[in-house]
Amino acid sequence: VSVLYVRAGKAVLGAEAAAQGFGYCRALGILADDAGNDTYHAATVAQGAARDVAVGWLIDRAGNDSYQAGDQSQGAASMQAAAWLVDLEGDDHYLMRTKSARQSLGASCGLSPGTIREDILNLGMFLDLGGEDKYTGESGRPYGNNTLLVRDREHTVLNLESERAVFLDGEYSTTVLRLAPLTKKRKKHR
């Protein structure tokens, strides 16, 4: 387990790889930031990413933040993992630094087709829930402010149910997470 918690202020966090809320090989990685106009930069596999049966989570609660990363970052899950990048509010900027960044911004990649592992969930989630955000770089995808993309499966021919990925950028600051069923319980008839 690896946890980095930043309370407030203008944080500048840089890394080459495997950092900033990255989980690897049956581990958990969390980066949580409460406030401030922060800068995150990494070359690859970082910023709420996970690989090889692990969990990675980056959550930034407030501030006008800047994210720069390469492949398999920003909510990317690889090899049966679960990964989230969640930014709750602020006017943020996301820069993808490589041409192969299609495996970032909420991606499910690097599965093991033809093995027993192909049935294990691989979930990548990118959620920016407030602010006027910008997406630049060479991602080759239609990312943008106020956009929902349920990402295509990497192995479309196999149609693996275990591949799941979502990119969501929208204004959801008042979203309530409902933990109860939406339907009423039916009475039993005798």
Side-chain angles (χ1 to χ4, degrees):
V1 175
S2 173
V3 177
L4 174 60
Y5 174 65
V6 181
R7 286 184 110 176
K10 183 178 179 179
V12 178
L13 303 170
E16 187 64 27
Q20 302 170 355
F22 174 69
Y24 179 68
C25 197
R26 298 179 298 280
L28 169 66
I30 299 173
L31 189 159
D33 183 276
D34 276 343
N37 298 333
D38 307 306
T39 300
Y40 304 95
H41 55 86
T44 187
V45 291
Q47 301 174 1
R51 183 177 177 91
D52 200 12
V53 192
V55 175
W57 187 25
L58 186 156
I59 182 165
D60 190 296
R61 294 182 59 188
N64 301 325
D65 306 306
S66 174
Y67 298 86
Q68 301 173 29
D71 208 19
Q72 293 187 11
S73 297
Q74 301 176 347
S78 177
M79 298 175 64
Q80 293 70 38
W84 294 269
L85 185 149
V86 181
D87 190 295
L88 297 176
E89 62 182 60
D91 299 335
D92 306 307
H93 180 223
Y94 298 90
L95 171 64
M96 300 313 305
R97 300 189 320 185
T98 64
K99 288 185 180 181
S100 62
R102 64 181 175 77
Q103 293 183 338
S104 293
L105 292 166
S108 174
C109 50
L111 287 176
S112 305
T115 70
I116 195 167
R117 292 180 77 169
E118 75 179 20
D119 293 328
I120 300 171
L121 179 65
N122 197 58
L123 174 68
M125 301 281 292
F126 175 93
L127 307 168
D128 189 302
L129 304 178
E132 292 294 319
D133 307 305
K134 296 178 185 169
Y135 298 87
T136 58
E138 302 183 46
S139 65
R141 301 274 183 168
Y143 303 111
N145 201 46
N146 298 319
T147 301
L148 168 63
L149 296 171
V150 177
R151 302 277 304 265
D152 295 334
R153 293 186 172 115
E154 185 180 30
H155 302 285
T156 55
V157 174
L158 299 175
N159 197 27
L160 298 177
E161 291 295 320
S162 57
E163 287 185 283
R164 296 286 181 223
V166 172
F167 170 92
L168 174 64
D169 181 306
E171 310 309 308
Y172 298 97
S173 61
T174 59
T175 299
V176 176
L177 179 61
R178 184 174 176 87
L179 300 175
L182 294 175
T183 57
K184 294 180 180 181
K185 195 172 185 179
R186 293 182 180 191
K187 294 180 181 180
K188 292 184 180 180
H189 297 284
R190 296 181 189 217

